[in-house]
Amino acid sequence: MAGTQSESATAPAKVTAGTLSKKEKRQIQFHDEARPKKLAHKEPTTEGLVQKAKELKKHRQSLPIFSARDVIIKEVKENACVVIVGETGSGKTTQIPQYLLESGLAAHGTIAVTQPRRVAAINLAKRVADEVGTPLGQKVGYSIRFDDSSSKDSLIKYMTDGIMLRELLSDRLLLRYSVIILDEAHERTLRTDILFGMVKSIQKQRQDLIEKGRRDIQPLKIVIMSATLDAEKFSEYFYNAKIMYISGRQFPVKILNTVEPQADYVDAALVTAFQIHQEEQQGDILIFLTGQEEIESLEKLIEEYAVDLPPSVGKLIPCPIFAAQDSATQQRIFEPAPLGTRKVILATNIAETSITIPNIRYVIDTGCHKSRGYNAKIGIESLLVEPISKSSARQRMGRAGREAPGLCFRLYTEDSFDQLEEDAIPEIKRCNLESAILSLKATGIDDVTRFDFMDRPSKSGLLRSLEHLYALEALDDQGNLTDIGKQMAAFPVDPPYAKVLLQSAKMECTKEVIEIISLLSVDSIFLAPSAKREEANEARQKFTSIDGDHLTLLNTLRAYESVKGDRDWCRENFINARHMRHVLDVRKQLIQFCERTCTPSSTFPIDPKKSCGHDLEIVLKCFLAGFFQNTALLQPDSTYKSILGGLTVSIHPSSTLFGKKREAIMYNELVFTTKHYIRGVSALESAWLPLAAPKYFGQRGA
Ligand code: CDP
Ligand code: MG
């Protein structure tokens, strides 16, 4: 049962700063009243492997959801759709698929569990494979973009919502699945929303076929799982499906808001983490940040400061968690900290409801997250660091009270909390709909405006996305999918990248294009430690191309390969070796994809080995074929104005073209922080524009 959770606290109390030597001693004040100091401590277990399996069974039976096991099985067996609501950590994602498996519901097909995040899909599959007691990839597997560990025999399969949408292209009725569990429904990601409509229709189609006497077809069960209570909407949408509430276990969490607003929340999080470490009892810290870059910079800062901790204070070990990370590193966050030390987990909102990390007693909530948004005024999609909703703030707080009473340090004032929106707006209302439209059309839904959306996207948003797809030549004048569009829907990358790949086959530079797309799949391959910025910049000069970031990345990859990824070389050149390994992995996957599906006999054969040699200009032209909307022209006053929307954009300081004046530029990403920054920038000639996207520039009369 939920314990008491106070949303506010009153009397201000000082939390004194720790021994922070390299930086001026600073302290952050939080509102506080008498704080519970007597926190129970749970010793980490040190049992052997065999014992672990047994222990997991015990753990499974101790989860709040266990007492509802039989009821859940009964309800799913008796109903076509069930909505299950349960507090984060109660056991929904790891247990329910196993219950259904144990009750025979996988007899006629796999149980699929969709996740909005890749890291969560991998992690949960691993955990459940452990609990089931078979190696990962057999009975229990996962499938995410560029990484499939499932097999034909997998009975439980964790997958991203994006992968399920892609599977729909080859299995329109998802016949390989007997149960589809749409998890994290409360997040209302664009893809999960599209899946709601798809599986609803598939369930009906399968039922119709069964009624017509098709014996080879089995009914489809749908389970919707959510961590927040507002589940009526899901229930209404799924024919008033029954809602089951699983009560969780929650200890009281004390909330401490800052007295003053914090200008730099990363710095504030750093100071607060050390305050906690030096003043509070045992228990790990979880910090919510907005992205990989921030996570890595805080990780470094913590390491730097931790050196100066007095010997009487145990170590503080930063443990980052994000997508582009190898699984061994990721696993570390679940392992108990060595005795006398404390872990500080640095995460994005993946740790909000998707993944439950044990032993967290302290949460530091920056109050922000990165959200993909569509700026309707200028018609450009961008990544924005934005305030979270109240409901997210409550979820974050809850993470501190899973095993014992905890503390939640909010790096914002109580007033700021009051001003937050109650809930986040569903992505479908604010995002670019292009890949969703491609998926819908590719599965035979021609009139996307009449699709059974749970929340209808705005008409103008739909229209704009349709126009962009037309300009990308994925749709024809009638709005029907072209052959190019069909091919783009099958690619494991977003539509503009898919277009670039297709174009590369024509221009015979697929090798280079695949390499650059892989390089763009990580935040940055360059390290930029604040203390050694000059040195890092100098090192990067060696790879810099006058044409900008795309070719600079390519040069760097070539240099990296010429030394066979030597670690010392990476260190000397400030290259993020971890990211580089990820880049190579993505490249391998993309090459395999082309070899498997774009063979010489297909409509669009793509030879991933085809290289343009030294004529790299052609590579940029290829990118322009997908990113013609992300272009800007130099103005007489030396600023850049975007061609779409006429927005003044600034080249991000991390770009090789920062401070440079070129006639026209193309960029990979627009990020709004203090200005509209563009990242991944390359120079072009304006004469290339109409050639790269005749439909787009023809329409606009450019
Ligand atoms: O889905 P829900 O939030 O309801 O819970 P879950 O993800 O099924 O997690 C249930 C329990 O398993 C939690 O107590 C987690 O701490 C634990 N778990 C774990 O220890 N290690 C993992 N890799 C995943 C889950
Ligand atoms: Mg879950």
Side-chain angles (χ1 to χ4, degrees):
M1 285 305 296
T4 49
Q5 297 168 2
S6 56
E7 279 290 355
S8 64
T10 46
K14 252 187 216 169
V15 180
T16 47
T19 332
L20 297 178
S21 64
K22 286 188 185 154
K23 217 167 198 177
E24 89 187 76
K25 276 190 188 174
R26 222 160 69 67
Q27 57 188 31
I28 296 175
Q29 288 189 349
F30 291 92
H31 275 294
D32 183 19
E33 43 189 31
R35 278 194 279 133
K37 282 285 180 190
K38 271 190 193 159
L39 302 180
H41 176 63
K42 201 176 134 200
E43 289 295 330
T45 56
T46 51
E47 323 273 335
L49 246 174
V50 183
Q51 189 60 23
K52 186 184 159 200
K54 262 195 202 157
E55 283 227 356
L56 287 180
K57 191 165 183 192
K58 269 191 225 148
H59 175 268
R60 288 190 62 196
Q61 294 178 348
S62 72
L63 286 169
I65 205 163
F66 184 64
S67 57
R69 181 183 181 276
D70 295 344
V71 191
I72 291 172
I73 292 173
K74 178 171 170 282
E75 291 296 338
V76 176
K77 281 196 165 167
E78 288 175 3
N79 297 287
C81 308
V82 178
V83 178
I84 301 178
V85 175
E87 194 123 18
T88 304
S90 55
K92 298 182 300 299
T93 313
T94 54
Q95 303 310 305
I96 290 176
Q98 294 187 73
Y99 296 164
L100 302 184
L101 173 67
E102 289 155 8
S103 71
L105 275 158
H108 301 290
T110 307
I111 298 169
V113 190
T114 67
Q115 291 291 318
R117 295 188 188 79
R118 290 185 289 158
V119 178
I122 301 177
N123 182 272
L124 292 158
K126 277 193 183 134
R127 170 71 180 194
V128 174
D130 277 353
E131 289 185 1
V132 170
T134 52
L136 181 67
Q138 294 184 9
K139 232 174 176 177
V140 184
Y142 68 84
S143 180
I144 63 171
R145 179 159 84 167
F146 301 135
D147 188 4
D148 185 358
S149 95
S150 66
S151 71
K152 280 216 157 49
D153 305 324
S154 295
L155 297 176
I156 298 178
K157 183 161 139 191
Y158 288 85
M159 61 212 288
T160 52
D161 36 22
I163 288 288
M164 177 155 278
L165 282 173
R166 197 151 292 126
E167 284 193 358
L168 264 164
L169 300 180
S170 54
D171 183 6
R172 294 273 170 103
L173 293 178
L174 293 173
L175 288 171
R176 74 189 79 163
Y177 300 112
S178 57
V179 183
I180 292 180
I181 302 178
L182 299 173
D183 199 5
E184 302 286 90
H186 61 273
E187 286 211 28
R188 300 297 309 277
T189 63
L190 175 61
R191 294 197 176 103
T192 306
D193 261 23
I194 297 286
L195 279 177
F196 287 150
M198 296 274 208
V199 296
K200 187 176 168 182
S201 141
I202 288 169
Q203 186 179 57
K204 182 161 185 311
Q205 291 174 56
R206 269 161 70 160
Q207 201 52 45
D208 289 348
L209 289 171
I210 293 167
E211 277 159 24
K212 281 187 193 142
R214 283 281 295 273
R215 293 205 163 170
D216 54 327
I217 289 179
Q218 300 291 327
L220 175 69
K221 298 275 181 194
I222 300 175
V223 179
I224 309 294
M225 305 208 293
S226 165
T228 59
L229 293 172
D230 48 347
E232 282 80 15
K233 195 161 185 170
F234 303 126
S235 158
E236 272 164 36
Y237 181 76
F238 285 101
Y239 318 103
N240 293 319
K242 184 158 187 171
I243 307 178
M244 302 182 67
Y245 293 93
I246 312 295
S247 51
R249 219 174 272 140
Q250 181 73 33
F251 291 88
V253 175
K254 182 89 181 170
I255 294 169
L256 298 121
N257 281 100
T258 57
V259 175
E260 300 289 335
Q262 300 296 311
D264 178 349
Y265 60 74
V266 176
D267 179 59
L270 174 73
V271 176
T272 307
F274 279 88
Q275 282 178 199
I276 294 171
H277 185 49
Q278 291 182 280
E279 316 222 326
E280 303 293 343
Q281 308 201 8
Q282 261 175 313
D284 295 336
I285 306 170
L286 168 61
I287 308 183
F288 286 100
L289 295 154
T290 71
Q292 186 172 337
E293 239 175 307
E294 235 169 59
I295 288 177
E296 288 182 309
S297 88
L298 186 55
E299 178 188 10
K300 297 235 166 56
L301 286 171
I302 292 175
E303 277 165 358
E304 280 170 30
Y305 283 111
V307 173
D308 295 324
L309 280 171
S312 57
V313 181
K315 270 195 191 158
L316 184 62
I317 308 166
C319 300
I321 174 162
F322 46 79
Q325 187 177 40
D326 60 67
S327 55
T329 321
Q330 237 165 54
Q331 211 44 43
R332 218 162 49 113
I333 65 161
F334 292 93
E335 282 154 19
L339 209 64
T341 67
R342 194 197 299 267
K343 282 192 307 184
V344 47
I345 315 276
L346 313 174
T348 59
N349 44 4
I350 185 166
E352 219 172 88
T353 60
S354 301
I355 292 191
T356 303
I357 301 152
N359 203 33
I360 300 295
R361 300 284 284 282
Y362 307 99
V363 163
I364 301 177
D365 174 13
T366 55
C368 292
H369 68 162
K370 212 178 256 173
S371 111
R372 193 164 280 287
Y374 196 76
N375 186 328
K377 253 199 264 152
I378 50 170
I380 290 182
E381 188 173 70
S382 59
L383 273 175
L384 299 164
V385 171
E386 283 193 326
I388 55 173
S389 65
K390 281 189 181 137
S391 121
S392 278
R394 292 190 185 109
Q395 288 290 338
R396 289 179 175 191
M397 171 198 75
R399 302 305 98 234
R402 287 255 313 120
E403 291 161 46
L407 295 175
C408 173
F409 295 79
R410 288 186 174 157
L411 301 177
Y412 45 96
T413 63
E414 226 181 302
D415 278 350
S416 314
F417 175 83
D418 292 336
Q419 284 157 24
L420 297 176
E421 295 288 338
E422 199 55 45
D423 289 299
I425 303 166
E427 257 184 22
I428 200 157
K429 293 264 194 202
R430 58 186 162 84
C431 272
N432 181 326
L433 300 165
E434 280 136 38
S435 49
I437 293 175
L438 269 194
S439 305
L440 288 173
K441 295 229 178 217
T443 45
I445 297 156
D446 291 327
D447 188 354
V448 289
T449 55
R450 290 175 59 188
F451 182 68
D452 181 12
F453 292 106
M454 191 151 80
D455 267 308
R456 207 152 274 286
S458 75
K459 221 174 180 137
S460 58
L462 263 176
L463 220 62
R464 230 183 343 255
S465 294
L466 287 167
E467 274 168 15
H468 189 200
L469 286 172
Y470 171 74
L472 284 168
E473 298 173 331
L475 302 180
D476 64 17
D477 297 350
Q478 262 72 54
N480 295 322
L481 212 56
T482 60
D483 286 342
I484 294 180
K486 272 182 209 147
Q487 184 62 30
M488 279 164 66
F491 275 129
V493 291
D494 283 347
Y497 289 103
K499 183 64 195 287
V500 176
L501 265 171
L502 283 170
Q503 191 76 359
S504 78
K506 272 194 215 159
M507 300 203 171
E508 307 198 330
C509 56
T510 306
K511 179 175 183 289
E512 287 77 14
V513 160
I514 286 183
E515 286 176 338
I516 297 175
I517 292 179
S518 311
L519 286 154
L520 291 170
S521 73
V522 294
D523 246 17
S524 175
I525 54 165
F526 299 108
L527 292 167
S530 42
K532 293 183 181 165
R533 191 148 288 163
E534 290 286 295
E535 263 179 84
N537 279 343
E538 205 168 301
R540 206 170 71 172
Q541 292 297 324
K542 277 190 267 206
F543 316 117
T544 300
S545 154
I546 51 161
D547 292 313
D549 297 330
H550 292 78
L551 299 185
T552 299
L553 287 173
L554 193 61
N555 289 344
T556 316
L557 176 67
R558 289 192 175 156
Y560 172 86
E561 293 206 293
S562 72
V563 297
K564 300 196 167 53
D566 182 67
R567 275 174 183 272
D568 293 333
W569 181 89
C570 286
R571 204 170 318 113
E572 284 158 23
N573 288 286
F574 296 88
I575 301 297
N576 189 327
R578 186 163 69 187
H579 288 189
M580 268 303 195
R581 286 196 297 275
H582 186 77
V583 165
L584 297 189
D585 196 36
V586 172
R587 176 176 69 177
K588 193 168 99 194
Q589 309 283 338
L590 280 172
I591 290 174
Q592 282 172 354
F593 178 84
C594 291
E595 283 170 349
R596 255 200 335 262
T597 53
C598 312
T599 53
S601 59
S602 63
T603 324
F604 295 101
I606 300 182
D607 177 359
K609 291 190 200 71
K610 204 84 181 174
S611 162
C612 57
H614 295 291
D615 178 19
L616 292 170
E617 192 177 285
I618 210 156
V619 175
L620 294 180
K621 287 183 178 160
C622 266
F623 270 88
L624 191 58
F627 289 85
F628 49 83
Q629 285 201 337
N630 293 10
T631 44
L633 298 176
L634 187 67
Q635 304 300 304
D637 65 357
S638 295
T639 59
Y640 287 101
K641 205 173 232 181
S642 67
I643 293 183
L644 178 67
L647 185 78
T648 300
V649 293
S650 308
I651 297 178
H652 194 270
S654 66
S655 168
T656 49
L657 290 186
F658 177 64
K660 304 264 184 334
K661 294 181 188 44
R662 307 299 289 265
E663 175 198 10
I665 50 175
M666 149 180 80
Y667 56 89
N668 193 50
E669 180 177 57
L670 178 78
V671 185
F672 185 79
T673 48
T674 47
K675 307 182 190 180
H676 284 105
Y677 274 118
I678 51 178
R679 296 176 38 160
V681 189
S682 281
L684 330 159
E685 287 170 27
S686 53
W688 299 355
L689 292 168
L691 300 172
K695 291 207 162 153
Y696 182 68
F697 289 100
Q699 273 168 11
R700 303 171 64 87

